[in-house]
Amino acid sequence: MDKLLDILKSTGFPYAYDHFAEGEAPDPPFLCYLLPGSDNFSADGKVYYRISEVRVELYTDQKDLAAERKLQDALDACGIFYEKSATWIDSEKLYEVLYVFEMPSGEESAGQDG
């Protein structure tokens, strides 16, 4: 997932896997990412190509089109097709924009040589 981390780093936003430790979340905007599942490709009864589901959450304290554009530009630059949704989280007083996409899990696939 080095490519994913490079993309997140290129935005300049602080990021963490799943969540920041309690009391350590930076000021918005910031990112959290998750790898909640897979959609692997199989051949000959085994995993041939590993594909991870990726969720990147952009948190802001108000609707921030510039922050959204910055993340979208980073994803677009890598040719990643994503689905986007947004919601206000009243208990956190944060706006969450969720980007969902798939990407290869590693540099090489499971069933291929070199």
Side-chain angles (χ1 to χ4, degrees):
M1 293 272 90
D2 290 341
K3 182 177 180 180
L4 176 60
L5 296 179
D6 289 343
I7 292 167
L8 299 179
K9 191 180 299 181
S10 76
T11 67
F13 300 134
Y15 62 89
Y17 184 80
D18 191 48
H19 65 280
F20 287 89
E22 189 167 333
E24 294 186 15
D27 291 333
F30 61 86
L31 303 170
C32 291
Y33 70 100
L34 301 120
L35 306 171
S38 64
D39 187 19
N40 296 331
F41 178 77
S42 66
D44 299 325
K46 60 183 175 182
V47 174
Y48 183 74
Y49 193 74
R50 292 184 179 103
I51 301 170
S52 289
E53 176 187 354
V54 179
R55 295 181 182 201
V56 176
E57 303 162 345
L58 169 63
Y59 292 97
T60 58
D61 37 7
Q62 59 187 3
K63 182 72 173 172
D64 188 338
L65 295 175
E68 291 177 38
R69 173 53 81 193
K70 194 171 196 179
L71 178 54
Q72 290 168 189
D73 286 348
L75 296 171
D76 292 345
C78 291
I80 294 174
F81 178 80
Y82 52 85
E83 297 292 334
K84 174 183 162 184
S85 61
T87 189
W88 172 253
I89 304 172
D90 196 47
S91 62
E92 300 291 328
K93 302 296 184 222
L94 289 173
Y95 195 70
E96 177 195 80
V97 181
L98 173 64
Y99 296 84
V100 179
F101 53 93
E102 293 181 339
M103 64 187 315
S105 295
E107 295 300 316
E108 50 194 336
S109 42
Q112 296 180 1
D113 294 327

